[in-house]
Amino acid sequence: TVAVMALSTLSSRLIRIHVREFIFTFVMLTDVMFITTADKELENVIKIGTLAYRNDWKEVKNLASRHMTDRYCIFYWHLCNAREGRLPDELLKGRWGLSSRGLYLTTGKGDPCFSMMYFTDALMEIGDVSQATDCALLAQTVVPGHYSTRMLRRLAEIGVVTGDYAVASKYLNILARTRNHREWADNLLKCIETDSIPDQYLIWRSRTVPQDHFFAQGDIRSSLDIIAQESPYNKVAIDYQLCSYLLDKDIKSFVESYERYYLGKLDQIVNVPDIYQEALLTTVNSDESLRETVEKYHISQEVLTKFLHLMEVRARSENPNVLTEEAAGTYWNYIMAVSLTNRNLK
């Protein structure tokens, strides 16, 4: 009798899971059919998130590059470049306005569930599993039916990355009872049992901080600071930090962070991106400071030559259009564009 009751209870739970899967799939399909004619922008939002969910990063970047006015596409454009180690190199091609908003997604009250779900993709790459957990749990509360297998998968992955296999197994066992995620969950459970964790999770693990820290939800800069301090060779997190300052034109904070996390550390093992060197040269105000800056930060001859040429053009012409054309593709061009925009606003 007990066995029959237990079997009956299990069966009812499985039925509820499959019904929820069916309803969610039906809603998603009907929504996509509707927005195909009603809202192409929302269609792209759903499509790019789905491609990322499937780890089809080549197509994610391809789609993002074709819709660089959409904040989610810009967000994934930056994330794809960060995964390739090219976030600073491609930074100015993916601007959301004149600020760092395109690098991150907001996850506060009133923000759509897409923001919370998609932002976990960047947080995992950065190594911020604490905020990734918060976003995944929060997304669970706002999606239709308060149930998202995508976020259950994320929570399972976080458990694997942090080494909390009990938590990971809990979510994997739930997913193993679903039709669409059974194979994935079973494979990851076997990896845990045989201690053969996939490389991607080991990479994420190497970027995480060893202990929890407390800061306000959504305070990504404080989080990045902590990660950079405790994981000084986490280039992804440090690049996100430095690039956010560059997009916000906060040169003072950029230089402070560069000296703290890059100078004498990362610059010893990787080539310093041109955009960082260009930003460092914006602090020059005399011939003496130029020599000191070039020497201290090891400015390359190519970047220095471009900078000196731009100074010559500036000395010869007061026409702002000439300056911006000469500085095309550089951080100096971005700084001047901001200056001109602010002047026009006044």
Side-chain angles (χ1 to χ4, degrees):
T1 303
V2 174
V4 171
M5 291 177 63
L7 182 60
S8 176
T9 302
L10 177 60
S11 298
S12 63
R13 286 179 180 174
L14 289 174
I15 290 171
R16 285 199 298 273
I17 289 173
H18 288 309
V19 167
R20 268 182 276 184
E21 274 195 308
F22 173 77
I23 292 173
F24 183 74
T25 302
F26 176 76
V27 169
M28 290 297 291
L29 286 174
T30 52
D31 280 352
V32 171
M33 289 169 62
F34 172 74
I35 62 178
T36 297
T37 56
D39 193 336
K40 292 293 291 183
E41 186 175 316
L42 182 56
E43 180 184 1
N44 287 329
V45 171
I46 294 174
K47 185 176 181 179
I48 199 165
T50 302
L51 290 170
Y53 182 47
R54 294 173 179 169
N55 288 312
D56 192 349
W57 292 102
K58 182 178 179 180
E59 283 304 311
V60 169
K61 190 170 185 179
N62 183 34
L63 178 61
S65 67
R66 300 199 309 270
H67 300 279
M68 295 297 277
T69 57
D70 176 82
R71 67 172 306 187
Y72 292 103
C73 288
I74 291 174
F75 164 76
Y76 272 116
W77 166 263
H78 288 310
L79 178 54
C80 286
N81 289 316
R83 286 171 54 86
E84 298 169 2
R86 293 182 51 78
L87 177 61
D89 302 294
E90 304 291 336
L91 182 67
L92 298 181
K93 293 180 182 177
R95 297 187 316 216
W96 176 258
L98 299 174
S99 75
S100 62
R101 288 180 299 163
L103 288 172
Y104 315 117
L105 294 175
T106 54
T107 57
K109 184 178 180 181
D111 287 311
C113 61
F114 296 123
S115 293
M116 301 161 201
M117 296 169 74
Y118 296 176
F119 195 27
T120 64
D121 291 334
L123 292 170
M124 295 299 287
E125 289 296 331
I126 290 169
D128 191 350
V129 293
S130 178
Q131 288 212 65
T133 302
D134 290 344
C135 284
L137 292 172
L138 185 59
Q140 284 278 66
T141 68
V142 298
V143 296
H146 307 298
Y147 179 83
S148 166
T149 51
R150 177 171 184 164
M151 290 300 95
L152 289 180
R153 282 181 60 146
R154 178 62 81 211
L155 290 166
E157 290 176 324
I158 290 170
V160 173
V161 169
T162 59
D164 193 341
Y165 295 146
V167 169
S169 297
K170 179 184 76 172
Y171 291 117
L172 290 171
N173 283 319
I174 294 173
L175 291 166
R177 297 196 293 269
T178 66
R179 182 179 63 257
N180 295 331
H181 305 279
R182 182 181 298 117
E183 183 179 356
W184 178 85
D186 285 341
N187 288 338
L188 197 50
L189 281 167
K190 289 176 183 176
C191 289
I192 292 174
E193 292 169 4
T194 58
D195 195 26
S196 53
I197 305 304
D199 289 344
Q200 181 60 67
Y201 299 131
L202 295 178
I203 291 172
W204 286 344
R205 182 181 292 178
S206 70
R207 295 174 184 165
T208 61
V209 295
Q211 58 186 8
D212 289 334
H213 293 269
F214 296 98
F215 42 80
Q217 171 65 27
D219 186 0
I220 185 66
R221 281 187 175 164
S222 293
S223 173
L224 288 171
D225 236 2
I226 291 168
I227 293 170
Q229 289 171 27
E230 301 199 16
S231 182
Y233 292 98
N234 183 342
K235 186 176 181 296
V236 175
I238 293 170
D239 278 341
Y240 263 96
Q241 179 82 302
L242 293 174
C243 288
S244 71
Y245 287 135
L246 290 183
L247 288 177
D248 287 339
K249 293 79 64 182
D250 187 350
I251 299 299
K252 181 176 181 293
S253 296
F254 167 80
V255 173
E256 290 174 353
S257 292
Y258 184 89
E259 292 187 350
R260 188 180 303 125
Y261 305 127
Y262 226 93
L263 186 63
K265 297 173 184 175
L266 280 175
D267 66 349
Q268 301 298 303
I269 58 176
V270 299
N271 293 325
V272 179
D274 284 358
I275 192 172
Y276 291 172
Q277 299 181 58
E278 292 163 1
L280 291 166
L281 284 171
T282 64
T283 63
V284 169
N285 55 21
S286 67
D287 289 343
E288 184 179 351
S289 67
L290 174 60
R291 286 192 294 272
E292 292 174 352
T293 299
V294 170
E295 199 173 307
K296 179 178 180 179
Y297 300 117
H298 314 295
I299 304 298
S300 71
Q301 186 60 49
E302 182 181 356
V303 173
L304 178 59
T305 299
K306 284 193 296 184
F307 178 73
L308 293 174
H309 174 68
L310 187 63
M311 292 303 97
E312 288 179 8
V313 172
R314 182 180 181 182
R316 292 197 309 265
S317 173
E318 291 297 323
N319 185 342
N321 292 327
V322 174
L323 285 173
T324 53
E325 287 172 10
E326 290 288 338
T330 68
Y331 187 65
W332 306 313
N333 175 271
Y334 179 71
I335 288 287
M336 286 186 287
V338 172
S339 177
L340 291 172
T341 300
N342 290 339
R343 190 183 305 168
N344 290 335
L345 288 175
K346 292 176 183 178

